[in-house]
Amino acid sequence: VPSTGKLKHFKLMKVAGAYWPQTVDAELTGLLNRRCEQTVRALELTRQDPIAVPPEVDKPPRPARVDAASPALRHQLETLLQQAEGALGDGQLAAMQQHLQALDGALDQAGPVALPDSLRARLQALRVERSRLADWQQWGGARARDDLAAEAQALAGQTLARQTLAAADPAAPSAPKLNLKSHGDTIHSLRLRWKELDRHGAVASQEQWQRFDAALQTAHQPLAAQHAVLKAARQENLVAREALLAAFEARPAAESSAHAAQEAPDWRERVRELDRFQQAWRKFGPIEHTVPAESRPALQQRLRAAIDRIEAPLQQARVAAVAEREQLISRAESLLREGGTDRRFPDASRQVRDLQAAWQDQSRQLPLPRALENTLWTRFRAATDAVFAQRDAVFAARDAEGAAQLAQREALLERLSALHGEMPATEIERALTEVDRAWRQDSDLPRAASEALEARFRSAREAASALVAAGARRRWQAQCDTLAARLTWCEEREDSGAEATELSPRPVSQVPLPAAWQRALDLRWARPIEPGPLTGAEVDDVLLRLEAALDLPLAPESQAARQQLKLRALKEAMEGRAPPKQGPTQPAAWLLSVVGQSGLAGAQRARLHALVTALRQAPPGALGSPINAG
């Protein structure tokens, strides 16, 4: 119930009328006056009717009254007045109302005090302004609600008009399609504005609310129809999802029983079933927009349980498959760490192929998620490629080494092929020795290539050896020719009786003789011209022995002597009186003794020259004769 002071305040407003703004027109002023009179009458009736007045409530005793406001109270009132005046200046009616209520509470606690005139006048002015603004707010709220009701009615009229045109001729161009989203946003905006007015304290009448709500319900009819269609569609979607889910739930799950251990599940088929189900489920659209809200939790829980029933054993199998693939990767990497030579790589290549076959078999049995499968496969392929790269590097090094050895052997063969008969025998023999030493070194060439090269080497070496033999034979023949010429020269000197100082000891343009032959001839040339040092019989015996050594045909008169020689040699060997004089030096000594013999008879000379001729046709070094290198 308003206090006496408030009632007097309303009466003062009614009588004076001086607090209404001068800019208000006559109609507005009359309206405000009538509302003020109604308020004053209501307050007077309340005072006259004791029943309408609520019973007094026991209040705590008030503090001792003071005649004047204390400095602390004055400071508090001053602060609250300044805050209320600031809120009034900013147009914040609610904030000003709070500050005034706080000021009234402070005054109630302090009791009736004598306020300074300045504070009392400011407080009174704020209260009057608050009442005036509250009336303005009530009047503005009523006008705003009328405007909102008019907008709602206009929106309802437009909605009905469009519905009428669409019902009459749906294909008519004059019946534009209603944008339901924008239409719904407009309805929502109008209701928010109505609630905002309620929040600001503008009370609506029953008639205003009925007009506003009826118009918005009419405007909401297209949205309600759409909601009904959506609801039916969501219900159909829910039924279809439940049917798909029921069929998926009916599929058997992988069990970890003894029977399942004997026959492994077809994981590839289970993955395909799960993919087909998820693809069909996604075709129904997002569950948040296609299923009734009240059915979503149960449906999602059921979906998760059905998928987990299939995915749980599948996930366990995938974990085991990942472990197996990791083992394959480790084995491939261990092959790379072991390294090795080209002799080990055939086995390593076979192991890598076995690992690749095992990987493909596991991939066919249980494919992993694409990203995980690609990651593991990249690691596995890198390890196997590294093994093959290591093998290729070893093979390349081996091929390079083989190429170098092949080139070396080709060079040796070319060196043999470059030998010719005009070269000195020593140079040819040195080349053969060096090539033989280099050829005997170990080689890692393939067997086929090595055999072909060995055949070429034998052929080239035989050709080079033939060159050496031919050169040696030519030198031997030349030496034999020189020996025959020197013998003839000595015989001519002996026949002429000339002294050794009168003639040259050797013919001109003759090849050098072996040192032993040369010494024997030089001694013969230096001795006096007389037979010796052997007797004629000893010379015949030596010639007979040399002829037997060279297996020369004998004259009839010499056959008996050769026969006796053989019998004597056999008898001496059997009796053991003298060891058989064999070896390469004995025939050579015989030859030197007869070459250095002076005063040979004509028959002995002929036999000696025949021996030299036969010696020329014999292999070099026959009778153990020394050979001079050319």
Side-chain angles (χ1 to χ4, degrees):
V1 178
S3 62
T4 306
K6 293 181 180 180
L7 181 60
K8 291 180 179 179
H9 172 65
F10 282 112
K11 289 182 179 180
L12 179 61
M13 291 172 59
K14 175 179 179 299
V15 175
Y19 295 100
W20 306 127
Q22 298 299 325
T23 57
V24 180
D25 54 10
E27 182 180 359
L28 180 58
T29 302
L31 176 61
L32 292 176
N33 289 333
R34 286 194 297 273
R35 294 189 61 184
C36 184
E37 290 175 355
Q38 293 175 0
T39 304
V40 171
R41 285 197 299 271
L43 290 174
E44 290 177 350
L45 290 175
T46 303
R47 292 182 59 195
Q48 294 174 4
D49 189 0
I51 299 177
V53 180
E56 291 290 337
V57 181
D58 294 339
K59 296 182 180 180
R62 293 188 177 184
R65 300 186 178 184
V66 294
D67 295 336
S70 63
L73 179 60
R74 292 187 59 181
H75 177 73
Q76 181 182 7
L77 296 177
E78 179 69 26
T79 302
L80 292 174
L81 283 173
Q82 289 179 358
Q83 294 175 352
E85 291 171 348
L88 177 61
D90 295 337
Q92 299 178 358
L93 185 59
M96 184 185 70
Q97 179 70 20
Q98 293 176 359
H99 296 316
L100 290 179
Q101 289 177 356
L103 194 147
D104 291 340
L107 290 176
D108 290 341
Q109 290 181 0
V113 294
L115 296 177
D117 295 339
S118 59
L119 292 179
R120 187 183 303 107
R122 291 168 59 189
L123 178 58
Q124 185 65 24
L126 286 174
R127 288 174 174 171
V128 172
E129 188 66 16
R130 181 188 61 183
S131 299
R132 185 179 70 83
L133 293 177
D135 291 339
W136 271 101
Q137 185 181 33
Q138 184 68 23
W139 176 80
R143 292 292 300 271
R145 292 184 189 277
D146 290 339
D147 293 340
L148 287 177
E151 291 183 23
Q153 289 175 344
L155 184 63
Q158 295 174 2
T159 304
L160 291 175
R162 291 187 177 183
Q163 290 178 343
T164 303
L165 290 174
D169 188 2
S174 58
K177 188 175 181 180
L178 183 63
N179 188 343
L180 295 178
K181 184 180 184 308
S182 176
H183 190 71
D185 292 341
T186 302
I187 295 175
H188 183 66
S189 175
L190 290 173
R191 292 194 179 276
L192 288 179
R193 289 164 61 187
W194 187 277
K195 291 180 180 180
E196 184 69 16
L197 292 176
D198 290 340
R199 191 176 64 84
H200 286 292
V203 181
S205 64
Q206 185 69 20
E207 185 269 336
Q208 286 178 325
W209 166 249
Q210 291 177 352
R211 285 192 296 114
F212 178 76
D213 185 62
L216 290 186
Q217 288 182 2
T218 302
H220 191 263
Q221 290 178 358
L223 294 175
Q226 183 194 37
H227 292 165
V229 173
L230 290 176
K231 184 177 180 180
R234 289 174 178 175
Q235 191 63 33
E236 293 178 359
N237 187 282
L238 176 61
V239 172
R241 287 179 187 269
E242 289 178 343
L244 178 63
L245 194 56
F248 184 68
E249 289 172 341
R251 299 181 183 274
E255 299 178 356
S256 57
S257 60
H259 177 72
Q262 295 176 1
E263 183 178 357
D266 188 357
W267 295 114
R268 195 176 188 89
E269 179 60 26
R270 294 188 179 277
V271 170
R272 285 195 291 265
E273 291 177 357
L274 183 60
D275 290 341
R276 286 194 294 267
F277 169 75
Q278 291 178 339
Q279 290 177 3
W281 186 270
R282 285 193 293 269
K283 290 180 180 179
F284 290 119
I287 193 172
E288 296 82 4
H289 306 295
T290 57
V291 175
E294 63 276 7
S295 303
R296 292 172 193 168
L299 184 64
Q300 289 177 337
Q301 184 177 2
R302 183 180 173 188
L303 172 65
R304 185 69 265 166
I307 293 179
D308 289 344
R309 189 176 63 93
I310 301 298
E311 274 192 343
L314 178 61
Q315 187 62 27
Q316 294 177 0
R318 282 175 172 171
V319 170
V322 170
E324 293 177 356
R325 283 170 170 78
E326 289 287 353
Q327 291 180 359
L328 295 178
I329 294 173
S330 299
R331 290 170 59 186
E333 292 175 347
S334 65
L335 291 177
L336 178 63
R337 288 191 297 269
E338 291 174 3
T341 62
D342 55 343
R343 294 183 179 88
R344 192 196 68 85
F345 276 115
D347 184 63
S349 301
R350 179 187 56 78
Q351 294 183 37
V352 169
R353 287 192 293 270
D354 292 342
L355 292 177
Q356 290 175 339
W359 187 284
Q360 293 175 358
D361 184 62
Q362 291 184 12
S363 299
R364 285 192 296 268
Q365 290 181 2
L366 178 57
L368 298 175
R370 184 179 298 275
L372 180 58
E373 185 76 41
N374 291 339
T375 301
L376 295 175
W377 169 248
T378 301
R379 291 173 54 198
F380 177 74
R381 185 177 60 183
T384 54
D385 290 348
V387 174
F388 287 127
Q390 188 181 57
R391 179 202 62 180
D392 295 341
V394 172
F395 285 170
R398 184 198 62 181
D399 293 342
E401 183 180 357
Q405 293 180 359
L406 181 62
Q408 181 181 6
R409 303 234 159 181
E410 289 289 348
L412 294 176
L413 292 174
E414 290 179 2
R415 185 176 180 183
L416 290 179
S417 300
L419 299 177
H420 54 85
E422 302 299 329
M423 298 175 64
T426 55
E427 184 176 349
I428 295 176
E429 291 176 354
R430 183 174 63 254
L432 280 174
T433 302
E434 294 175 354
V435 169
D436 286 341
R437 185 185 307 112
W439 195 270
R440 284 194 298 270
Q441 294 179 357
D442 292 336
S443 174
D444 292 333
L445 293 174
R447 175 174 295 181
S450 179
E451 291 178 353
L453 289 173
E454 192 67 30
R456 291 174 58 193
F457 172 73
R458 288 194 298 268
S459 176
R461 197 183 188 290
E462 289 175 359
S465 300
L467 289 176
V468 174
R473 186 172 185 81
R474 286 194 303 270
R475 288 191 301 274
W476 173 256
Q477 291 177 353
Q479 289 174 352
C480 291
D481 292 341
T482 302
L483 177 61
R486 291 290 299 278
L487 289 174
T488 301
W489 190 265
C490 289
E491 292 170 355
E492 290 177 356
R493 170 181 171 273
E494 293 171 357
D495 291 342
S496 64
E499 295 295 334
T501 58
E502 298 178 1
L503 298 173
S504 173
R506 65 184 67 180
V508 183
S509 303
Q510 296 295 325
V511 297
L513 293 174
W517 289 4
Q518 185 65 41
R519 282 193 303 271
L521 290 172
D522 289 343
L523 288 175
R524 180 179 178 180
W525 186 269
R527 283 196 305 268
I529 303 174
E530 58 183 12
L534 299 178
T535 64
E538 290 176 342
V539 172
D540 289 338
D541 184 68
V542 170
L543 290 174
L544 184 62
R545 290 177 181 275
L546 291 173
E547 290 170 349
L550 292 175
D551 197 18
L552 294 178
L554 299 176
E557 61 272 13
S558 300
Q559 291 181 358
R562 179 179 291 186
Q563 187 68 27
Q564 290 295 327
L565 179 63
K566 290 181 178 181
L567 290 175
R568 187 171 63 251
L570 180 60
K571 182 179 179 180
E572 291 176 353
M574 292 178 64
E575 292 178 355
R577 290 180 297 175
K581 296 182 179 179
Q582 297 177 356
T585 59
Q586 188 64 34
W590 295 340
L591 180 61
L592 290 176
S593 64
V594 74
V595 167
Q597 180 69 24
S598 302
L600 294 176
Q604 291 175 337
R605 288 181 180 180
R607 290 174 68 183
L608 178 57
H609 281 280
L611 283 172
V612 173
T613 302
L615 188 64
R616 184 180 186 276
Q617 300 301 325
L623 300 179
S625 300
I627 303 176
N628 278 359

